[in-house]
Amino acid sequence: MTWNVEIDPRQCIASGSCAAVAPDLFVLDGSHARPRQERIEEDERALDAAEVCPALAITVRNGAVIGPRP
């Protein structure tokens, strides 16, 4: 199963925490972060990145929202 990874550029503050947790999944691109790919294979590090994002800008979906985890 694949997951969709999104970063809301209006919320992203480019802290770099997502790229630090999963550099092969996220990259800082100017003043915002972005996922390297919008569709990924299941990867717990994407959920970890969503949880450590100080702006809560990352959403991970598998149809329903699964990250950040409650």
Side-chain angles (χ1 to χ4, degrees):
M1 176 176 272
T2 59
W3 291 350
N4 291 339
V5 180
E6 303 167 359
I7 296 181
D8 184 339
R10 297 168 301 186
Q11 287 182 250
C12 180
I13 60 171
S15 73
S17 59
C18 57
V21 168
D24 56 321
L25 299 178
F26 300 94
V27 64
L28 289 177
D29 190 12
S31 61
H32 297 99
R34 66 173 175 80
R36 290 188 183 267
Q37 299 178 341
E38 290 184 15
R39 294 187 64 82
I40 64 168
E41 292 299 318
E42 292 182 28
D43 191 327
E44 288 291 317
R45 293 171 308 136
L47 298 175
D48 294 342
E51 291 174 7
V52 300
C53 176
L56 299 174
I58 302 171
T59 304
V60 182
R61 301 174 196 273
N62 69 352
V65 173
I66 58 171
R69 294 175 272 214

